[in-house]
Amino acid sequence: KDICCILDELDIFSLIISGLVHDIDHTGKNNAFENSSLSKLSIRYNDSSVLENHHCATFFKIIQDPRYNIFESLDREDYLYCRSLIINCILSTDMKCHFELCKKFEVKLNEFKDNKEAFDNLENKKLLLGMMIHSCDIYGPTKPNAIALKWNDKINKEFSKQVEAEELLELPVTFFMKDLDNI
């Protein structure tokens, strides 16, 4: 089904913005590290989707400056609608939500098939957009090999730095991030 038949301009705009800002001001660590280290972000967001909440808040703080407010031409209702979609999309990139998100999407898949009206329901639309952003966020290994290997190298370096920080702070080391430089 042509996605433009179920998404309007505000939906598509929100989806694009979500993709652009979903990792804005990333710390280079994961949520588990932020929580176990009791970081400022973990305290601020009460150990719940810490980085994703930070990405949302950072973006919405930036656009408070009139020079960067890409929503200035929208009325309040449309702005709040876009904000709701963007927050939902960014929160959908939290890997702790992966299986729940996939399960919800799988359950709704038959309802979505050949049923444009299913997307008149805001929750269904949010589920679809969240799944789209989440899928894009984790699809790195499906890229052409040369690109996938470059991303893999960058991620391995980021993970190795987190292990160093965990060891320095005497926190439990995230086992799957350890010894990646030996691969």
Side-chain angles (χ1 to χ4, degrees):
K1 200 85 167 149
D2 186 351
I3 199 73
C4 293
C5 293
I6 35 183
L7 301 178
D8 64 26
E9 289 176 347
L10 289 178
D11 300 329
I12 295 168
F13 177 66
S14 299
L15 186 65
I16 291 168
I17 296 304
S18 299
L20 290 172
V21 303
H22 79 279
D23 270 343
I24 194 169
D25 197 37
H26 201 287
T27 64
K29 310 292 188 289
N30 65 16
N31 282 330
F33 177 87
E34 298 295 337
N35 292 340
S36 66
S37 68
L38 296 174
S39 72
K40 289 179 182 179
L41 293 178
S42 181
I43 301 300
R44 175 177 295 145
Y45 299 113
N46 299 308
D47 303 336
S48 181
S49 299
V50 172
L51 292 170
E52 294 74 20
N53 276 299
H54 174 63
H55 304 319
C56 290
T58 300
F59 170 66
F60 285 106
K61 183 177 180 185
I62 289 169
I63 64 157
Q64 286 180 335
D65 183 328
R67 295 175 298 170
Y68 307 118
N69 186 357
I70 59 176
F71 301 101
E72 69 183 343
S73 65
L74 299 181
D75 63 32
R76 180 169 174 75
E77 184 179 331
D78 286 346
Y79 167 70
L80 292 175
Y81 177 76
C82 288
R83 177 176 158 80
S84 167
L85 292 180
I86 292 167
I87 291 169
N88 172 78
C89 285
I90 294 172
L91 291 178
S92 295
T93 64
D94 186 346
M95 284 304 295
K96 85 169 186 204
C97 303
H98 175 80
F99 293 106
E100 180 184 346
L101 183 63
C102 290
K103 186 66 176 169
K104 282 182 183 177
F105 191 74
E106 184 180 352
V107 166
K108 289 284 188 174
L109 209 47
N110 283 334
E111 181 183 336
F112 292 167
K113 195 179 286 186
D114 299 321
N115 182 8
K116 181 182 176 207
E117 289 75 32
F119 298 99
D120 292 339
N121 175 314
L122 181 58
E123 291 310 307
N124 285 348
K125 192 174 281 191
K126 284 182 171 183
L127 177 60
L128 175 65
L129 296 178
M131 188 65 174
M132 292 169 73
I133 289 294
H134 178 67
S135 298
C136 291
D137 192 35
I138 63 173
Y139 93 113
T142 67
K143 292 182 180 188
N145 199 38
I147 296 170
L149 288 173
K150 284 181 184 179
W151 276 107
N152 184 64
D153 184 53
K154 290 177 184 298
I155 290 168
N156 283 352
K157 286 178 182 172
E158 185 176 291
F159 286 175
S160 295
K161 285 182 181 180
Q162 178 171 317
V163 167
E164 288 174 20
E166 289 168 338
E167 290 171 341
L168 184 67
L169 295 172
E170 298 180 357
L171 298 171
V173 171
T174 307
F175 76 94
F176 69 86
M177 294 182 178
K178 191 172 168 106
D179 299 323
L180 294 177
D181 49 352
N182 297 331
I183 296 177

